[in-house]
Each structure stands twice: as structure tokens, then as C-alpha cells.
Amino acid sequence: GKSSILHAAPFLAKVVSYMQRHNVPFEHIDAWVPSFVAGDSSTVDGEQPCRLCFAGSATTEVQIPSVNGPPEDLSAEERFNLQSFGDYSQKFSFDVGCGLPGRVYQSGVPTWEQSVHNAPAHHFERCGGAQQWGIKTVVGIPVPSPNVGRIVCVLYSRHDRAKDPEVVSKLRDEFTKLMPSPKWKLVVDVSPAPPTTMIGTEQATTTVTSAAQTTTGTGAGYDAMGPSKDSKEARIDEIVAILGEHMPSDPASPLAEHIPSFMLLRLMLLRASRKEEEEEVVDTILGSYSSYKISGRATSDIAVMLARDFTFLTQSSDFHDAAPSSISFFKAPPADDFLYKNSPALTPINPPDGGGSLADMASIVSN
């Protein structure tokens, strides 16, 4: 299935259900959440800068071809086009005030825009995707959030919809009642990625840079089919060295709780043979390492982030059954943990008996 469907968390599922029950004349919706950027810079009012990041999309099963008309099922081709636009949108992120999500987030005022497929790029930066997949009308709605302050929901239609302030007011009230609370989950994509492009004031980026683009040196370890065995082993050796160098040794250290993950990941990488599920975890860790490395992270930060990634991946599998009984997986980091707050790809890891389901933990946007 399309990856955009996988991002449709409980919040978006409830929104789509409401849209279909009340014949809301839009067929697709996505959500954009603020991701605060670490650094020395700050805004004029002293607030920490942030970007609006894609947080999931969902597509209805019906459409309203004409105003006040009966709903009709979307054809398979129409659903495919809407879901493809969702996949296209997840490659974008917006500075506050830039792009439709960024403008709505900054102003806190809804916007209704028609004929976006014919709009200039500086007005609607995703006009290329709108043209390709038939998006004509877009409505951006700011929605209060209890944990991030505000998110932006954007509705899309393949039809030309006349502005209706009453519909916008009702949707805003209903979305607010759902109290969206964004959560981040680890998503690593190690497939080849297109080069970054700049269109107007909006930056189109891939979720995670391809591992093939992050390798330093001669690049001889790569061919048309992806990384070679030599390149993979070289990266494994690098990770093993980093983990050994930065493994916490002081029991009083704030990072001491990560020792089990450091040990288990390092031992897994050092093994000459691995099970199929272990090999999948290793490949994912290698993709994470390449992404963190190309972003310029310090090796000490990379070591801790890889340990957390490993814990998340093994917690969502059967690895706990095979883990030594003397090793306990760490709990969520404290609220003032700087690295945690500045790693938007990571989410708090609940202990095995925490009571929460994986589906709840993996949700990007939930109520």
C-alpha cells in the first residue's frame, strides 16, 4: 500500500470519519507539526526557531462531486492520485511563514485557496504535484494542540470548491475537540533519494538521505545496485568503534541507562553471522548512522542516538525474548534531556511493562 496511508494515525482517522459522515467536500487531508530546531539562533521575540514537518495523510473513500449533492465512491485511480500526492508532500518541510502550512501556523488564521494547480510556485510551492495529481482546492486550518501549541491540518479536493467560511468554522471546532498530540516515531528510509531542490521559499527534502549519498572517501564501495559488502562492513566497523569509544563507564553518568543498548548493539554488529531479523535491524541502524553522519552530528551524539534507535527497533520485535535476563531496557529519558528534545526522529521508549501498545507509541499524530 501507499506509504501515506501508514502515516494516518488515530487523529487523522477520526478526522476522515467525520468528513465522510458529514459530507465535507474534500477528499484528502494531511497534518503538519512544528519541529523545534536546536541552535544558537532565535527569533526576534526570543522563541526557539522551528519548521513545519509532514506528520501523516489520509484519503477518504468518497467524494462530493457537486455542492449539496450525494457522495460518490472514489475510483481506484482517483484514490491512487490522492495518495500519491500524500507521498509527494511528505518530502517537504516549511519554515514558519513559508508555504501554506507555514503561513497558517504563523498567522493562526485559516486559509481557503482555489485553483492551486495553476498557482505560481511562490504562492503554492507544491503546484507541480497539484498539477500532476489533480489537486484544485486547498484549505489550511490551524488546530490547537495540548503539547506543541498548534498544528496545521490541510484539506485537499480534486474539485473547484467555492469558499465557505461556515464549513471552515465547523471543521476547526471539530478538529480542536480531538486535541491532537503529536508524537514522533523512528522512520528510516535507505532507498536512493533525489537531490534536494529549492522552490521559492519552500525546501523539498527527503525524509532521510540515502545511505549511498552519505559515504565519504572514494565511493568505490557503491555500484548501481547499492552499497557493496565492503562498504557495509566498513560502516559496521565505524559504528563498533564509535560505540566502544563512547560507551558510558560511570554508573552515575546520565547516559548510564543506555549501557544495555550499547552492549547489545555492539555485540550484534560484531557477530559473523546474524539471523534474518537481526540483519534487518543492522541495515536500519546503518541507514540511521549514514543519516546522522551526513548531518554533521558529533560521534558522541551519534552513539547515543544509535543506541536509542536499536532499543526502539528491538522493542517492536521479539528481541526481548532473546535478551539476557540480567539486562533491563532503559526507560524514557528525562524531560530536560537536551539530546532527546533535539532529536525529532526519536520518541520516548516505554519500558516493556509500560502498558502502552506499540501502535500508540508509533503514532505520529494521535489524540
Side-chain angles (χ1 to χ4, degrees):
K2 302 299 291 180
S3 60
S4 59
I5 298 178
L6 301 178
H7 292 296
F11 170 72
L12 291 180
K14 292 179 181 179
V15 168
V16 168
S17 177
Y18 174 85
M19 291 169 61
Q20 294 184 152
R21 288 198 315 270
H22 297 272
N23 292 336
V24 176
F26 292 88
E27 302 89 53
H28 187 76
I29 182 172
D30 57 28
W32 301 84
V33 302
S35 175
F36 293 93
V37 181
D40 297 329
S41 60
S42 60
T43 58
V44 176
D45 55 7
E47 294 184 356
Q48 193 175 14
C50 74
R51 291 181 66 83
L52 274 296
C53 297
F54 181 87
S57 64
T59 302
T60 64
E61 297 180 355
V62 297
Q63 61 181 331
I64 311 295
S66 58
V67 179
N68 298 324
E72 298 179 2
D73 290 341
L74 286 169
S75 67
E77 181 180 1
E78 289 169 335
R79 283 183 59 82
F80 175 83
N81 287 338
L82 291 167
Q83 292 165 359
S84 296
F85 181 77
D87 289 345
Y88 166 79
S89 294
Q90 70 180 323
K91 296 178 173 64
F92 288 79
S93 64
F94 303 85
D95 283 326
V96 174
C98 300
L100 187 144
R103 294 194 299 269
V104 173
Y105 179 84
Q106 183 181 55
S107 67
V109 178
T111 182
W112 188 304
E113 299 184 4
Q114 298 170 262
S115 301
V116 294
H117 60 300
N118 293 325
H122 69 269
H123 181 71
F124 187 73
E125 291 80 353
R126 288 172 289 162
C127 59
Q131 271 187 341
Q132 182 173 355
W133 289 294
I135 303 298
K136 296 182 178 180
T137 305
V138 179
V139 175
I141 301 176
V143 181
S145 168
N147 65 336
V148 297
R150 175 185 296 159
I151 71 168
V152 176
C153 291
V154 185
L155 290 80
Y156 306 86
S157 178
R158 302 179 69 257
H159 304 274
D160 189 17
R161 307 293 190 186
K163 293 184 179 181
D164 190 334
E166 184 178 352
V167 169
V168 173
S169 178
K170 287 182 178 179
L171 290 175
R172 188 174 189 179
D173 290 343
E174 290 299 326
F175 294 172
T176 300
K177 293 177 183 177
L178 296 176
M179 299 181 65
S181 302
K183 300 176 184 177
W184 294 98
K185 74 175 181 179
L186 174 66
V187 179
V188 178
D189 181 3
V190 295
S191 61
T196 300
T197 58
M198 296 297 295
I199 306 176
T201 56
E202 174 179 76
Q203 180 180 11
T205 62
T206 54
T207 303
V208 177
T209 304
S210 167
Q213 294 179 319
T214 63
T215 303
T216 59
T218 63
Y222 285 85
D223 54 28
M225 298 303 291
S228 68
K229 180 178 180 181
D230 290 342
S231 172
K232 180 175 180 179
E233 293 301 322
R235 285 186 294 158
I236 288 178
D237 291 342
E238 291 179 16
I239 296 175
V240 169
I242 290 175
L243 292 174
E245 179 183 357
H246 298 288
M247 183 180 299
S249 57
D250 183 1
S253 168
L255 300 179
E257 61 184 345
H258 305 314
I259 292 177
S261 294
F262 272 79
M263 295 174 57
L264 291 177
L265 174 56
R266 196 163 183 267
L267 291 173
M268 178 182 292
L269 294 173
L270 288 170
R271 284 209 299 270
S273 61
R274 290 179 285 265
K275 298 178 181 178
E276 181 179 351
E277 59 268 28
E278 292 176 333
E279 200 64 45
E280 291 176 357
V281 170
V282 169
D283 290 341
T284 302
I285 290 295
L286 292 177
S288 295
Y289 171 67
S290 298
S291 176
Y292 298 148
K293 183 177 179 181
I294 198 64
S295 67
R297 294 270 189 176
T299 55
S300 58
D301 290 351
I302 292 177
V304 177
M305 294 167 73
L306 290 178
R308 287 180 173 162
D309 291 358
F310 175 78
T311 301
F312 181 90
L313 293 169
T314 54
Q315 186 176 17
S316 61
S317 66
D318 296 327
F319 276 79
H320 280 301
D321 296 335
S325 58
S326 60
I327 296 179
S328 60
F329 284 80
F330 62 86
K331 297 184 179 180
D336 60 348
D337 186 329
F338 174 82
L339 179 60
Y340 165 73
K341 292 193 295 184
N342 290 278
S343 301
L346 302 175
T347 183
I349 304 298
N350 294 323
D353 58 349
S357 67
L358 178 62
D360 292 336
M361 289 189 296
S363 296
I364 296 181
V365 180
S366 62
N367 67 323

